[in-house]
Amino acid sequence: MRSQLHSTKMYTSEQRHQLEHVFVVKLAAYENWEVDPSTIYSAVETNPRVKRWLELSRKLLDVVEQAIS
């Protein structure tokens, strides 16, 4: 199923990048945290919460792309 998800890309790389930032910020806010969108990728290296939020945002984007394809 994973390969099927990746074969239906609807967003450009830039759009996915922007949406990842939006989702990470929203997920952080849901857990009463604040994340600076400009530091998400560097924070992944040191903050397990940010790493998890980024992983979840990518999975969410995959599911959204699959649902609308």
Side-chain angles (χ1 to χ4, degrees):
M1 182 160 174
R2 187 101 175 121
S3 61
Q4 185 181 36
L5 290 176
H6 287 288
S7 65
T8 59
K9 296 288 184 216
M10 298 186 71
Y11 299 113
T12 66
S13 294
E14 182 60 31
Q15 288 170 320
R16 282 186 69 88
H17 184 77
Q18 291 172 353
L19 287 168
E20 284 174 0
H21 281 186
V22 170
F23 291 154
V24 168
V25 170
K26 295 289 186 184
L27 287 165
Y30 181 77
E31 294 187 19
N32 295 318
W33 283 73
E34 287 187 24
V35 175
D36 179 354
S38 66
T39 63
I40 288 171
Y41 295 104
S42 60
V44 164
E45 301 299 320
T46 58
N47 189 327
R49 285 182 187 263
V50 175
K51 182 177 181 178
R52 181 68 181 139
W53 295 327
L54 184 57
E55 290 168 354
L56 290 171
S57 73
R58 289 175 175 163
K59 288 178 183 180
L60 180 58
L61 279 167
D62 288 343
V63 171
V64 168
E65 286 181 328
Q66 182 184 29
I68 60 179
S69 66

